[in-house]
Amino acid sequence: MKKWRLNFRVLSLFTLLAFVLSACGKPFLSTLKPAGEVAEEQYSLMLLSTAIMVLVIIVVTIIFIFVILRFRRRKGEENVIPKQVEGSRKLEIIWTVIPILLLIILTVPTVISTFKLADVKGMKDKDAVVVNVRANLYWWEFEYPNQKIITSQDLVVPTDKKVYFNIKASDVKHSFWIPSVGGKLDANTENDNKFWLVFDSKKSKEANGVFYGKCAELCGPSHSLMDFKVRAVSSDEFDTWAKDLKKAKPDVETASAKAGQEVFNESCIGCHAVDVKDNRPEQARQAPNLAGFSERERVAGVLPHNKDNIKKWLKDPEKVKPGNKMSGTYPDLTDEQVNELADYLMSLKEK
């Protein structure tokens, strides 16, 4: 009995902790705070399905309690057999029709939304904002074919209009997901997946203009660190950003940055590009494009953007992201070279 009580207390404690911790987390990673048309529609379907499930639970619970109280065995009625309802046509119809009706209530809006959210015909319009997303171990490439620019890690999009995505992977299966803006979509190596999202300007201001993206498919030891940031700006700001980035050149003024540029050209240029007009084929783009690097939200997608974290990444990328493809691909750098290279990277501005 004591052992049973102890197990019950432990189970109760873990249940309480699970309930409390389920409310923990960061709002910008929550699907329960939609920040766009797609997210709103998916959230509505979630509420509808939850309401149907709760309704079923409530009805079943009420019937269960009623049956226990109404048909419990009483003194003097031990040998009384309740009236049997087996084969009742009325009951058979009721508990067959009701689930069908509930399924129809859920199915109709779900099918309508599925076809609506899968409609990417507008991608062919000249004014459409299209982003070719390529997932890699463990970073993201964003190509804007209409703007003729390629960047990485920071996705910049206009608010209050459809942004179309072509999604694929270059190595293993990944999954593109911006939790507060829309559902995830797989990034495959054998085909492109297409969908669209809308970034709400009001919700964008509440999030300080930055949404958080994740890889939602287990892809390797640094899967949980395969993050990207989304900067949502107005349409005019987006156009200005694209134009400025196409003109951007390294602002190499200090002697340290110039020395860092030499280190970069000797050790890094084979994989990384610093020009958004990168004409190399995809197979040759083995590492993130670093154009506008100094303006990005994070170093390696996960570290706060500052010089110390750039140096930390350059010294030992394996410690930051285990299993990444950068480790061991360049010669050992002295502390002075790391400092110079960090200064050069900080000179790569967007305008």
Side-chain angles (χ1 to χ4, degrees), residues 23-58:
C24 298
K26 299 179 180 179
F28 47 73
L29 287 176
S30 175
T31 58
L32 303 180
K33 292 190 176 181
E37 181 181 342
V38 174
E40 289 281 0
E41 189 142 351
Q42 292 172 340
Y43 182 63
S44 297
L45 289 174
M46 191 190 307
L47 290 179
L48 176 62
S49 61
T50 302
I52 291 174
M53 288 185 287
V54 170
L55 176 63
V56 170
I57 291 172
I58 291 173

Side-chain angles (χ1 to χ4, degrees), residues 147-192:
Q147 286 74 26
K148 293 181 172 55
I149 58 177
I150 296 176
T151 183
S152 63
Q153 293 303 91
D154 275 22
L155 172 65
V156 181
V157 294
T159 55
D160 299 330
K161 66 184 299 183
K162 288 183 178 181
V163 180
Y164 295 92
F165 296 93
N166 282 313
I167 300 173
K168 58 184 171 183
S170 62
D171 34 49
V172 299
K173 193 182 187 72
H174 299 279
S175 189
F176 180 82
W177 188 30
I178 309 173
S180 58
V181 185
K184 61 185 179 180
L185 193 65
D186 285 345
N188 302 322
T189 56
E190 66 274 6
N191 69 289
D192 291 7

Side-chain angles (χ1 to χ4, degrees), residues 213-232:
K214 303 283 292 183
C215 175
E217 183 76 29
L218 182 60
C219 54
S222 287
H223 156 69
S224 63
L225 301 173
M226 191 172 165
D227 296 359
F228 63 95
K229 303 299 173 286
V230 185
R231 284 193 281 157

Side-chain angles (χ1 to χ4, degrees), residues 72-90:
R72 72 185 187 278
R73 178 173 291 177
R74 296 176 174 85
K75 287 184 179 181
E77 298 180 351
E78 288 82 357
N79 298 322
V80 176
I81 299 177
K83 181 183 176 181
Q84 301 301 296
V85 296
E86 182 181 357
S88 172
R89 182 173 297 177
K90 183 185 295 185

Side-chain angles (χ1 to χ4, degrees), residues 289-319:
N289 189 305
L290 300 177
F293 176 81
S294 66
E295 310 292 336
R296 292 182 182 171
E297 294 287 330
R298 290 287 189 272
V299 176
V302 291
L303 300 174
H305 199 290
N306 56 56
K307 185 176 177 181
D308 287 340
N309 281 331
I310 295 174
K311 292 164 66 176
K312 179 180 179 181
W313 169 254
L314 293 173
K315 285 181 179 179
D316 191 358
E318 189 67 19
K319 188 175 181 179

Side-chain angles (χ1 to χ4, degrees), residues 34 44 85 118 132-133 192 212-213 330-331:
S44 297
V85 296
N132 295 331
V133 178
D192 291 7
Y212 286 65
Y330 56 96

